[in-house]
Amino acid sequence: MVVEFKNIYKNFGAVQALQDVSFSIGEAEIHGLLGENGAGKSTLMNILGGVLSPTSGTIVIDGTSYSHLTPHQAVELGISFIHQELNLVNDLRVFENLFINRELTIAKIYLDKKEMIRKSHEVFKRMNINIDPTLHVRELDTLEKQLVEIARAILFETKLIIMDEPTTALTDKEINNLFTIMRDLKNNGISCIYISHKMPELFAVCDKYTVLRDGKFIDSGFFKDIDENRATELLVGRKIIEDKDIHRAQLDTETVFEVQNISCPPYFKNISFSVKKGEVVAITGLFGDGRGELSEALFGARKLTNGKIFKNGKQLNLSSIKHVMKSGIGMIPRNRKERSIIKDMNILNNVSIAHFNAKHKKFLISTNEEIKRFEKNQKITNIKANSPKDPITSLSGGNQQKVIFARWFELDSDVYLLDNPTQGIDVGAKFEIYKLINYLAEQGKSIIVFSSEFPEIYKISHRCIIMYRGEINKVMNHDELNEVDMMFYSTGSNRKES
Amino acid sequence: MSEKTLTKEKFKEFMKIKGWPFLKNILINHNYVVSLILLLIIGRIASSNFLTFANITNLVKSSTFIGIIALGMTLVIISGNIDLSVGSILGLTAANTAIMFNNTHSIILSLLYAIVVGTLLGFINGFFIGKAKVASFIVTLATMAAFRSLTVQQGQGGPILINQEAYYSILRGLGYGTFLNIPYLVWIFVTIVILMILLMTKTKFGRYVYAVGSNEKAAKLSGINVDRIKIYIYSLTGLLTGIASFLYVARFGSVDTATAGKSFELDAIAAVAIGGTSMAGGKGFIQGTFFGIIVLYSIDSVLSALRVPAFVNDLIKGILILGAVLLQKVLNNRKANN
């Protein structure tokens, strides 16, 4: 299949997610799509999959022009999208998942299970893998689930497969297995768009590359013509210069936050670390490292089975979130839409909600006081809003996140737990969040950032804790930090023998 | 001439800055007002008795019992839950209040008793919903049946009668009396409406109710004790139902255990829906419910003024509820697209 993007634009409100993107993908080609988070890769792929409509521009598929696609059209044309979060029904069997919405029937009424199972066997055989089609999907591991998705694509004559970071949860051996299958597919004339952050993988399996940055097309070409340095340059672009604007704050010697041997099976066990005044500590790892659960536990939102947490030498009362808040700990949760913004409330109320809980003593609310508090914090966080009484959903992702920061500024918290604070916000706003984190560190606050993005961790942290399967695998100081080692310890490569 | 154009321009300017946004706000967020005005106009055209002072106070008076309950229901629905048991709570509380009154002949003690019993029954709902985390639909479906059964058992299937002598000398005045030509019931209802508006707009508790309904996870991670807020909401609904039960006894002088309060929950939910509260939680207004209940009750009088046979009243009600909610959906979609 030949796909050509012509001058694609996509706006979300005021945010321009894609600007004038044009490039093409050839027949039987594995095409690597590169770009940092927020560069517009997912938006573009969602346009190709028919989930989103472009604001303007055309998509040319095998010579036919489309102003937009519907999900149904995309499937008819033979485009399969394998999402990062797998789209399988856990409670159904493998073959039922393979044939979902396209079941084979006898006389249009009875499901022809035998035939579906036979065909499933056939496709797995073709892919040279061994999965029992009658198993329930929940019994499969992540690679197998991924392979089932690919099998579904092959089963229905797909001509183009989009894979969004398929290797994040896979081991090296599994990754190689996946690559073999991808090359087989290519030899059968199937094209593939491969989205990944991992340079070695991209160079290993892809023929051509396209780089997006800040929603703009940067470059396209053959991997054999470039090396990893050049690719990184294309990827990161102007931000190398911006880096100079962020200086890490000076460290105090006073320990503010200390975690002693906390466990919460099966998510994490025996975690100990401490954070000094003005220090930014990053905690990273891969899918399944227990980092998300750890962040919740530090905030009292998840019960510990043992271990203690101290703040300024005093043991924290973890029995309720309110106690933790009152001890001066603030939290920016991951997944802003789901966990932090209250969508039916205006900006002002979203900011005030934590203050009411921990500090507000009066019986009635004074709107004037609310506005005064907001204006003070608006200056610090640089929230761009017409009026504090506008709904929070009218703001861009970055500004929404600043509102959540302001929520904790009202309490003047000393320790900030930031769980993936730049998730789903554009590059410019990310940079503002980094400056904000730096500002907090300069004010002598202690900050723990949970993140999976190396550039981010490198930019803001003094120290990085790398987790693997619920345990601390390695602690690296800022001067030791590099992406290769971080990946090495995140994947538990140092533990393989045991 | 020039003066005329000047005022015209001034008017245009005013509409541009204040008028249109104001009208838009009403149309989008408070469109129950539109349905009310439409109904009242139809009623007025149909009958000259409609929209007289007596007619209006009558309307408000008859909607008092379910109206007070619907105020609690508003909180329940804003928080993303439902309460099917309010009718049965009214039955059980009213029956016990009647017994209390027979024993004490005291207004104050009966009122306090009604409040305590109602709050307690609401608390039982709240406990299972907040602490045991059972779906509110199931919990209140169960308590709806259980409370009704208890009530009927108490009355042995029949009514609980009130000592007539004591009723006429002490309690009846409250149910039928007026102050400044306006029935006590209306004064009480409107006072509670105002207090509830203050509660929802000017206190932390009100904010928490919206927060819990809009995004429970985020509310929890902002330190709100979500379980406790749910218990408070149901207890408060029980308390309001308790007050309504007391007024019910004062007004009717006896409690038929099998029918008292029956299907009140449906009218209360209908009033909340007409009043623009989102069934998905997070959005809604007390004043909307107040207008909602009046719309619901004015249907009856408008229809009788139009000489429509009473049998189709519920059909019209059904259409109206559906229409009001559809209208909100259309307007909200338009808002989202702008």
Side-chain angles (χ1 to χ4, degrees), chain B residues 149-192:
Chain B
S149 169
L150 273 177
T151 318
V152 178
Q153 163 68 22
Q154 230 169 5
Q156 289 295 307
I160 288 175
L161 299 172
I162 291 180
N163 181 329
Q164 288 301 297
E165 207 178 306
Y167 174 66
Y168 274 93
S169 60
I170 302 169
L171 202 52
R172 192 178 182 280
L174 192 76
Y176 288 86
T178 60
F179 173 67
L180 299 177
N181 258 341
I182 295 172
Y184 289 140
L185 289 179
V186 174
W187 285 110
I188 294 170
F189 184 26
V190 170
T191 310
I192 295 177

mmCIF file of all heavy atoms in Angstrom, chain B residues 149-192:
data_model
loop_
_atom_site.group_PDB
_atom_site.id
_atom_site.type_symbol
_atom_site.label_atom_id
_atom_site.label_comp_id
_atom_site.label_asym_id
_atom_site.label_seq_id
_atom_site.Cartn_x
_atom_site.Cartn_y
_atom_site.Cartn_z
ATOM 1 N N SER B 149 -41.891 -2.263 53.478
ATOM 2 C CA SER B 149 -42.397 -3.440 54.170
ATOM 3 C C SER B 149 -42.535 -3.177 55.667
ATOM 4 O O SER B 149 -43.546 -3.513 56.286
ATOM 5 C CB SER B 149 -41.451 -4.600 53.897
ATOM 6 O OG SER B 149 -41.750 -5.668 54.731
ATOM 7 N N LEU B 150 -41.520 -2.532 56.249
ATOM 8 C CA LEU B 150 -41.569 -2.186 57.672
ATOM 9 C C LEU B 150 -42.764 -1.300 57.977
ATOM 10 O O LEU B 150 -43.455 -1.462 58.988
ATOM 11 C CB LEU B 150 -40.285 -1.438 58.068
ATOM 12 C CG LEU B 150 -39.080 -2.263 58.485
ATOM 13 C CD1 LEU B 150 -37.909 -1.336 58.769
ATOM 14 C CD2 LEU B 150 -39.406 -3.087 59.722
ATOM 15 N N THR B 151 -43.012 -0.329 57.076
ATOM 16 C CA THR B 151 -44.103 0.621 57.287
ATOM 17 C C THR B 151 -45.437 -0.106 57.292
ATOM 18 O O THR B 151 -46.286 0.110 58.179
ATOM 19 C CB THR B 151 -44.113 1.670 56.157
ATOM 20 O OG1 THR B 151 -42.789 2.059 55.877
ATOM 21 C CG2 THR B 151 -44.923 2.880 56.542
ATOM 22 N N VAL B 152 -45.628 -0.972 56.295
ATOM 23 C CA VAL B 152 -46.905 -1.680 56.180
ATOM 24 C C VAL B 152 -47.097 -2.590 57.380
ATOM 25 O O VAL B 152 -48.195 -2.702 57.934
ATOM 26 C CB VAL B 152 -46.948 -2.486 54.860
ATOM 27 C CG1 VAL B 152 -48.240 -3.262 54.751
ATOM 28 C CG2 VAL B 152 -46.799 -1.555 53.676
ATOM 29 N N GLN B 153 -46.020 -3.223 57.816
ATOM 30 C CA GLN B 153 -46.087 -4.069 59.008
ATOM 31 C C GLN B 153 -46.550 -3.250 60.214
ATOM 32 O O GLN B 153 -47.395 -3.676 60.985
ATOM 33 C CB GLN B 153 -44.703 -4.692 59.254
ATOM 34 C CG GLN B 153 -44.474 -5.262 60.636
ATOM 35 C CD GLN B 153 -45.334 -6.490 60.903
ATOM 36 O OE1 GLN B 153 -45.787 -7.139 59.963
ATOM 37 N NE2 GLN B 153 -45.585 -6.786 62.178
ATOM 38 N N GLN B 154 -45.985 -2.029 60.309
ATOM 39 C CA GLN B 154 -46.323 -1.176 61.445
ATOM 40 C C GLN B 154 -47.817 -0.835 61.447
ATOM 41 O O GLN B 154 -48.445 -0.789 62.497
ATOM 42 C CB GLN B 154 -45.493 0.098 61.392
ATOM 43 C CG GLN B 154 -44.825 0.393 62.696
ATOM 44 C CD GLN B 154 -43.804 1.492 62.571
ATOM 45 O OE1 GLN B 154 -43.641 2.122 61.530
ATOM 46 N NE2 GLN B 154 -43.094 1.727 63.635
ATOM 47 N N GLY B 155 -48.357 -0.581 60.265
ATOM 48 C CA GLY B 155 -49.774 -0.231 60.190
ATOM 49 C C GLY B 155 -50.655 -1.451 59.974
ATOM 50 O O GLY B 155 -51.850 -1.310 59.752
ATOM 51 N N GLN B 156 -50.053 -2.648 59.993
ATOM 52 C CA GLN B 156 -50.785 -3.879 59.731
ATOM 53 C C GLN B 156 -51.595 -3.766 58.437
ATOM 54 O O GLN B 156 -52.748 -4.170 58.340
ATOM 55 C CB GLN B 156 -51.709 -4.235 60.917
ATOM 56 C CG GLN B 156 -50.945 -4.703 62.150
ATOM 57 C CD GLN B 156 -50.200 -6.016 61.896
ATOM 58 O OE1 GLN B 156 -50.777 -6.999 61.454
ATOM 59 N NE2 GLN B 156 -48.886 -6.009 62.133
ATOM 60 N N GLY B 157 -50.996 -3.145 57.457
ATOM 61 C CA GLY B 157 -51.624 -3.018 56.144
ATOM 62 C C GLY B 157 -52.544 -1.822 56.022
ATOM 63 O O GLY B 157 -52.864 -1.380 54.919
ATOM 64 N N GLY B 158 -52.955 -1.265 57.125
ATOM 65 C CA GLY B 158 -53.917 -0.159 57.069
ATOM 66 C C GLY B 158 -53.271 1.173 57.376
ATOM 67 O O GLY B 158 -52.052 1.283 57.422
ATOM 68 N N PRO B 159 -54.053 2.212 57.594
ATOM 69 C CA PRO B 159 -53.514 3.538 57.900
ATOM 70 C C PRO B 159 -53.144 3.674 59.371
ATOM 71 O O PRO B 159 -53.634 2.914 60.210
ATOM 72 C CB PRO B 159 -54.664 4.461 57.558
ATOM 73 C CG PRO B 159 -55.883 3.650 57.766
ATOM 74 C CD PRO B 159 -55.525 2.218 57.492
ATOM 75 N N ILE B 160 -52.268 4.618 59.640
ATOM 76 C CA ILE B 160 -52.020 4.997 61.036
ATOM 77 C C ILE B 160 -52.743 6.307 61.264
ATOM 78 O O ILE B 160 -52.460 7.324 60.608
ATOM 79 C CB ILE B 160 -50.516 5.125 61.308
ATOM 80 C CG1 ILE B 160 -49.915 3.718 61.317
ATOM 81 C CG2 ILE B 160 -50.251 5.825 62.623
ATOM 82 C CD1 ILE B 160 -48.432 3.673 61.464
ATOM 83 N N LEU B 161 -53.707 6.269 62.154
ATOM 84 C CA LEU B 161 -54.557 7.454 62.351
ATOM 85 C C LEU B 161 -53.980 8.329 63.446
ATOM 86 O O LEU B 161 -53.293 7.849 64.349
ATOM 87 C CB LEU B 161 -55.972 7.008 62.715
ATOM 88 C CG LEU B 161 -56.641 6.155 61.629
ATOM 89 C CD1 LEU B 161 -57.963 5.589 62.133
ATOM 90 C CD2 LEU B 161 -56.861 6.984 60.365
ATOM 91 N N ILE B 162 -54.308 9.594 63.354
ATOM 92 C CA ILE B 162 -53.824 10.524 64.375
ATOM 93 C C ILE B 162 -54.993 10.908 65.260
ATOM 94 O O ILE B 162 -56.129 11.063 64.784
ATOM 95 C CB ILE B 162 -53.218 11.773 63.712
ATOM 96 C CG1 ILE B 162 -51.924 11.376 63.002
ATOM 97 C CG2 ILE B 162 -52.936 12.858 64.734
ATOM 98 C CD1 ILE B 162 -51.246 12.521 62.322
ATOM 99 N N ASN B 163 -54.724 11.024 66.519
ATOM 100 C CA ASN B 163 -55.711 11.508 67.483
ATOM 101 C C ASN B 163 -56.330 12.800 66.938
ATOM 102 O O ASN B 163 -55.672 13.838 66.868
ATOM 103 C CB ASN B 163 -54.982 11.742 68.806
ATOM 104 C CG ASN B 163 -55.935 12.218 69.883
ATOM 105 O OD1 ASN B 163 -56.924 12.893 69.596
ATOM 106 N ND2 ASN B 163 -55.622 11.842 71.113
ATOM 107 N N GLN B 164 -57.592 12.764 66.512
ATOM 108 C CA GLN B 164 -58.204 13.869 65.772
ATOM 109 C C GLN B 164 -58.263 15.151 66.586
ATOM 110 O O GLN B 164 -58.001 16.241 66.074
ATOM 111 C CB GLN B 164 -59.616 13.484 65.316
ATOM 112 C CG GLN B 164 -59.607 12.458 64.197
ATOM 113 C CD GLN B 164 -58.862 12.955 62.967
ATOM 114 O OE1 GLN B 164 -59.258 13.926 62.342
ATOM 115 N NE2 GLN B 164 -57.756 12.304 62.629
ATOM 116 N N GLU B 165 -58.545 15.004 67.862
ATOM 117 C CA GLU B 165 -58.686 16.191 68.724
ATOM 118 C C GLU B 165 -57.363 16.961 68.780
ATOM 119 O O GLU B 165 -57.298 18.161 68.547
ATOM 120 C CB GLU B 165 -59.073 15.736 70.124
ATOM 121 C CG GLU B 165 -59.843 16.767 70.911
ATOM 122 C CD GLU B 165 -60.210 16.196 72.268
ATOM 123 O OE1 GLU B 165 -60.830 15.109 72.310
ATOM 124 O OE2 GLU B 165 -59.822 16.828 73.266
ATOM 125 N N ALA B 166 -56.286 16.190 69.022
ATOM 126 C CA ALA B 166 -54.967 16.802 69.123
ATOM 127 C C ALA B 166 -54.553 17.365 67.769
ATOM 128 O O ALA B 166 -53.959 18.439 67.670
ATOM 129 C CB ALA B 166 -53.940 15.779 69.595
ATOM 130 N N TYR B 167 -54.875 16.621 66.711
ATOM 131 C CA TYR B 167 -54.491 17.061 65.369
ATOM 132 C C TYR B 167 -55.111 18.409 65.053
ATOM 133 O O TYR B 167 -54.430 19.351 64.643
ATOM 134 C CB TYR B 167 -54.920 16.020 64.334
ATOM 135 C CG TYR B 167 -54.677 16.467 62.915
ATOM 136 C CD1 TYR B 167 -53.391 16.659 62.444
ATOM 137 C CD2 TYR B 167 -55.756 16.723 62.067
ATOM 138 C CE1 TYR B 167 -53.169 17.075 61.145
ATOM 139 C CE2 TYR B 167 -55.546 17.146 60.763
ATOM 140 C CZ TYR B 167 -54.251 17.328 60.308
ATOM 141 O OH TYR B 167 -54.025 17.755 59.023
ATOM 142 N N TYR B 168 -56.453 18.529 65.284
ATOM 143 C CA TYR B 168 -57.128 19.784 64.942
ATOM 144 C C TYR B 168 -56.666 20.932 65.809
ATOM 145 O O TYR B 168 -56.537 22.066 65.353
ATOM 146 C CB TYR B 168 -58.648 19.600 65.011
ATOM 147 C CG TYR B 168 -59.190 19.077 63.708
ATOM 148 C CD1 TYR B 168 -59.362 17.717 63.493
ATOM 149 C CD2 TYR B 168 -59.500 19.961 62.678
ATOM 150 C CE1 TYR B 168 -59.811 17.229 62.287
ATOM 151 C CE2 TYR B 168 -59.954 19.488 61.458
ATOM 152 C CZ TYR B 168 -60.113 18.122 61.261
ATOM 153 O OH TYR B 168 -60.554 17.669 60.051
ATOM 154 N N SER B 169 -56.355 20.643 67.075
ATOM 155 C CA SER B 169 -55.991 21.761 67.948
ATOM 156 C C SER B 169 -54.517 22.153 67.789
ATOM 157 O O SER B 169 -54.162 23.301 68.026
ATOM 158 C CB SER B 169 -56.300 21.405 69.398
ATOM 159 O OG SER B 169 -55.559 20.268 69.768
ATOM 160 N N ILE B 170 -53.651 21.227 67.416
ATOM 161 C CA ILE B 170 -52.212 21.535 67.429
ATOM 162 C C ILE B 170 -51.577 21.544 66.038
ATOM 163 O O ILE B 170 -50.966 22.519 65.606
ATOM 164 C CB ILE B 170 -51.443 20.530 68.328
ATOM 165 C CG1 ILE B 170 -52.004 20.566 69.744
ATOM 166 C CG2 ILE B 170 -49.959 20.871 68.354
ATOM 167 C CD1 ILE B 170 -51.507 19.454 70.627
ATOM 168 N N LEU B 171 -51.740 20.442 65.294
ATOM 169 C CA LEU B 171 -50.911 20.227 64.112
ATOM 170 C C LEU B 171 -51.518 20.781 62.829
ATOM 171 O O LEU B 171 -50.804 21.237 61.927
ATOM 172 C CB LEU B 171 -50.660 18.711 63.969
ATOM 173 C CG LEU B 171 -49.449 18.285 63.150
ATOM 174 C CD1 LEU B 171 -48.178 18.978 63.610
ATOM 175 C CD2 LEU B 171 -49.280 16.777 63.218
ATOM 176 N N ARG B 172 -52.846 20.765 62.717
ATOM 177 C CA ARG B 172 -53.478 21.058 61.445
ATOM 178 C C ARG B 172 -53.159 22.483 60.957
ATOM 179 O O ARG B 172 -53.028 22.717 59.757
ATOM 180 C CB ARG B 172 -54.986 20.860 61.555
ATOM 181 C CG ARG B 172 -55.671 20.870 60.198
ATOM 182 C CD ARG B 172 -57.162 20.620 60.343
ATOM 183 N NE ARG B 172 -57.804 20.593 59.036
ATOM 184 C CZ ARG B 172 -58.144 21.664 58.336
ATOM 185 N NH1 ARG B 172 -57.912 22.854 58.829
ATOM 186 N NH2 ARG B 172 -58.715 21.541 57.161
ATOM 187 N N GLY B 173 -53.024 23.371 61.916
ATOM 188 C CA GLY B 173 -52.745 24.767 61.569
ATOM 189 C C GLY B 173 -51.492 24.908 60.702
ATOM 190 O O GLY B 173 -51.418 25.741 59.794
ATOM 191 N N LEU B 174 -50.532 24.056 60.985
ATOM 192 C CA LEU B 174 -49.273 24.115 60.233
ATOM 193 C C LEU B 174 -49.479 23.705 58.779
ATOM 194 O O LEU B 174 -48.912 24.295 57.865
ATOM 195 C CB LEU B 174 -48.260 23.184 60.897
ATOM 196 C CG LEU B 174 -46.832 23.339 60.408
ATOM 197 C CD1 LEU B 174 -46.193 24.574 60.976
ATOM 198 C CD2 LEU B 174 -46.032 22.097 60.770
ATOM 199 N N GLY B 175 -50.314 22.721 58.578
ATOM 200 C CA GLY B 175 -50.534 22.214 57.228
ATOM 201 C C GLY B 175 -51.439 23.110 56.404
ATOM 202 O O GLY B 175 -51.365 23.097 55.172
ATOM 203 N N TYR B 176 -52.302 23.880 57.066
ATOM 204 C CA TYR B 176 -53.272 24.663 56.302
ATOM 205 C C TYR B 176 -53.158 26.165 56.510
ATOM 206 O O TYR B 176 -53.746 26.937 55.768
ATOM 207 C CB TYR B 176 -54.702 24.205 56.654
ATOM 208 C CG TYR B 176 -55.015 22.848 56.063
ATOM 209 C CD1 TYR B 176 -54.679 21.690 56.750
ATOM 210 C CD2 TYR B 176 -55.614 22.740 54.817
ATOM 211 C CE1 TYR B 176 -54.934 20.443 56.210
ATOM 212 C CE2 TYR B 176 -55.884 21.499 54.261
ATOM 213 C CZ TYR B 176 -55.534 20.354 54.969
ATOM 214 O OH TYR B 176 -55.791 19.123 54.423
ATOM 215 N N GLY B 177 -52.413 26.582 57.538
ATOM 216 C CA GLY B 177 -52.364 27.998 57.883
ATOM 217 C C GLY B 177 -51.574 28.824 56.876
ATOM 218 O O GLY B 177 -50.855 28.298 56.034
ATOM 219 N N THR B 178 -51.749 30.161 56.960
ATOM 220 C CA THR B 178 -51.011 31.044 56.077
ATOM 221 C C THR B 178 -50.377 32.172 56.869
ATOM 222 O O THR B 178 -50.811 32.498 57.975
ATOM 223 C CB THR B 178 -51.927 31.680 55.010
ATOM 224 O OG1 THR B 178 -52.943 32.426 55.698
ATOM 225 C CG2 THR B 178 -52.558 30.646 54.122
ATOM 226 N N PHE B 179 -49.335 32.746 56.283
ATOM 227 C CA PHE B 179 -48.721 33.957 56.837
ATOM 228 C C PHE B 179 -48.573 34.926 55.680
ATOM 229 O O PHE B 179 -48.052 34.551 54.614
ATOM 230 C CB PHE B 179 -47.355 33.601 57.439
ATOM 231 C CG PHE B 179 -46.568 34.791 57.885
ATOM 232 C CD1 PHE B 179 -47.015 35.572 58.959
ATOM 233 C CD2 PHE B 179 -45.392 35.148 57.243
ATOM 234 C CE1 PHE B 179 -46.289 36.674 59.367
ATOM 235 C CE2 PHE B 179 -44.661 36.253 57.647
ATOM 236 C CZ PHE B 179 -45.113 37.017 58.715
ATOM 237 N N LEU B 180 -49.091 36.161 55.836
ATOM 238 C CA LEU B 180 -49.125 37.129 54.732
ATOM 239 C C LEU B 180 -49.789 36.518 53.494
ATOM 240 O O LEU B 180 -49.311 36.670 52.370
ATOM 241 C CB LEU B 180 -47.716 37.598 54.362
ATOM 242 C CG LEU B 180 -46.909 38.315 55.423
ATOM 243 C CD1 LEU B 180 -45.515 38.635 54.902
ATOM 244 C CD2 LEU B 180 -47.624 39.590 55.860
ATOM 245 N N ASN B 181 -50.863 35.767 53.736
ATOM 246 C CA ASN B 181 -51.617 35.166 52.636
ATOM 247 C C ASN B 181 -50.879 34.040 51.900
ATOM 248 O O ASN B 181 -51.340 33.573 50.868
ATOM 249 C CB ASN B 181 -52.017 36.216 51.593
ATOM 250 C CG ASN B 181 -53.483 36.592 51.776
ATOM 251 O OD1 ASN B 181 -54.224 35.827 52.406
ATOM 252 N ND2 ASN B 181 -53.872 37.721 51.248
ATOM 253 N N ILE B 182 -49.720 33.706 52.408
ATOM 254 C CA ILE B 182 -48.975 32.626 51.769
ATOM 255 C C ILE B 182 -48.916 31.453 52.741
ATOM 256 O O ILE B 182 -48.597 31.656 53.926
ATOM 257 C CB ILE B 182 -47.550 33.093 51.395
ATOM 258 C CG1 ILE B 182 -47.644 34.191 50.332
ATOM 259 C CG2 ILE B 182 -46.689 31.939 50.898
ATOM 260 C CD1 ILE B 182 -46.337 34.856 50.029
ATOM 261 N N PRO B 183 -49.236 30.244 52.271
ATOM 262 C CA PRO B 183 -49.264 29.095 53.187
ATOM 263 C C PRO B 183 -47.917 28.878 53.870
ATOM 264 O O PRO B 183 -46.868 29.104 53.273
ATOM 265 C CB PRO B 183 -49.602 27.922 52.265
ATOM 266 C CG PRO B 183 -50.202 28.521 51.055
ATOM 267 C CD PRO B 183 -49.635 29.886 50.913
ATOM 268 N N TYR B 184 -47.967 28.407 55.121
ATOM 269 C CA TYR B 184 -46.724 28.065 55.838
ATOM 270 C C TYR B 184 -45.856 27.116 55.022
ATOM 271 O O TYR B 184 -44.634 27.230 54.986
ATOM 272 C CB TYR B 184 -47.063 27.376 57.176
ATOM 273 C CG TYR B 184 -47.644 28.297 58.205
ATOM 274 C CD1 TYR B 184 -48.690 27.867 59.029
ATOM 275 C CD2 TYR B 184 -47.141 29.583 58.395
ATOM 276 C CE1 TYR B 184 -49.232 28.702 59.996
ATOM 277 C CE2 TYR B 184 -47.683 30.418 59.361
ATOM 278 C CZ TYR B 184 -48.724 29.982 60.150
ATOM 279 O OH TYR B 184 -49.251 30.803 61.092
ATOM 280 N N LEU B 185 -46.551 26.154 54.374
ATOM 281 C CA LEU B 185 -45.794 25.158 53.613
ATOM 282 C C LEU B 185 -44.882 25.814 52.585
ATOM 283 O O LEU B 185 -43.737 25.420 52.398
ATOM 284 C CB LEU B 185 -46.755 24.191 52.911
ATOM 285 C CG LEU B 185 -47.511 23.212 53.797
ATOM 286 C CD1 LEU B 185 -48.445 22.343 52.970
ATOM 287 C CD2 LEU B 185 -46.549 22.354 54.595
ATOM 288 N N VAL B 186 -45.439 26.854 51.917
ATOM 289 C CA VAL B 186 -44.645 27.545 50.893
ATOM 290 C C VAL B 186 -43.466 28.262 51.530
ATOM 291 O O VAL B 186 -42.332 28.189 51.034
ATOM 292 C CB VAL B 186 -45.532 28.528 50.109
ATOM 293 C CG1 VAL B 186 -44.688 29.370 49.148
ATOM 294 C CG2 VAL B 186 -46.614 27.779 49.360
ATOM 295 N N TRP B 187 -43.701 28.931 52.662
ATOM 296 C CA TRP B 187 -42.598 29.607 53.369
ATOM 297 C C TRP B 187 -41.489 28.615 53.715
ATOM 298 O O TRP B 187 -40.301 28.880 53.501
ATOM 299 C CB TRP B 187 -43.088 30.260 54.670
ATOM 300 C CG TRP B 187 -43.871 31.519 54.463
ATOM 301 C CD1 TRP B 187 -45.209 31.687 54.679
ATOM 302 C CD2 TRP B 187 -43.380 32.785 54.015
ATOM 303 N NE1 TRP B 187 -45.587 32.973 54.383
ATOM 304 C CE2 TRP B 187 -44.489 33.672 53.976
ATOM 305 C CE3 TRP B 187 -42.123 33.254 53.631
ATOM 306 C CZ2 TRP B 187 -44.368 34.995 53.574
ATOM 307 C CZ3 TRP B 187 -42.003 34.566 53.246
ATOM 308 C CH2 TRP B 187 -43.118 35.415 53.210
ATOM 309 N N ILE B 188 -41.919 27.474 54.240
ATOM 310 C CA ILE B 188 -40.922 26.476 54.660
ATOM 311 C C ILE B 188 -40.138 25.966 53.443
ATOM 312 O O ILE B 188 -38.901 25.905 53.447
ATOM 313 C CB ILE B 188 -41.614 25.303 55.383
ATOM 314 C CG1 ILE B 188 -42.214 25.807 56.700
ATOM 315 C CG2 ILE B 188 -40.626 24.168 55.647
ATOM 316 C CD1 ILE B 188 -43.120 24.809 57.378
ATOM 317 N N PHE B 189 -40.877 25.638 52.381
ATOM 318 C CA PHE B 189 -40.242 25.103 51.168
ATOM 319 C C PHE B 189 -39.216 26.094 50.613
ATOM 320 O O PHE B 189 -38.057 25.753 50.361
ATOM 321 C CB PHE B 189 -41.335 24.781 50.138
ATOM 322 C CG PHE B 189 -40.818 24.133 48.875
ATOM 323 C CD1 PHE B 189 -39.645 23.387 48.850
ATOM 324 C CD2 PHE B 189 -41.541 24.251 47.692
ATOM 325 C CE1 PHE B 189 -39.199 22.780 47.693
ATOM 326 C CE2 PHE B 189 -41.095 23.651 46.523
ATOM 327 C CZ PHE B 189 -39.918 22.928 46.528
ATOM 328 N N VAL B 190 -39.669 27.351 50.465
ATOM 329 C CA VAL B 190 -38.779 28.352 49.868
ATOM 330 C C VAL B 190 -37.550 28.591 50.756
ATOM 331 O O VAL B 190 -36.428 28.731 50.261
ATOM 332 C CB VAL B 190 -39.548 29.665 49.612
ATOM 333 C CG1 VAL B 190 -38.600 30.782 49.216
ATOM 334 C CG2 VAL B 190 -40.585 29.442 48.519
ATOM 335 N N THR B 191 -37.745 28.585 52.094
ATOM 336 C CA THR B 191 -36.605 28.754 52.996
ATOM 337 C C THR B 191 -35.589 27.638 52.797
ATOM 338 O O THR B 191 -34.374 27.873 52.711
ATOM 339 C CB THR B 191 -37.076 28.734 54.466
ATOM 340 O OG1 THR B 191 -38.149 29.646 54.596
ATOM 341 C CG2 THR B 191 -35.947 29.103 55.404
ATOM 342 N N ILE B 192 -36.097 26.404 52.706
ATOM 343 C CA ILE B 192 -35.185 25.274 52.530
ATOM 344 C C ILE B 192 -34.458 25.377 51.181
ATOM 345 O O ILE B 192 -33.267 25.095 51.084
ATOM 346 C CB ILE B 192 -35.941 23.929 52.653
ATOM 347 C CG1 ILE B 192 -36.469 23.784 54.074
ATOM 348 C CG2 ILE B 192 -35.025 22.759 52.318
ATOM 349 C CD1 ILE B 192 -37.290 22.547 54.309
#
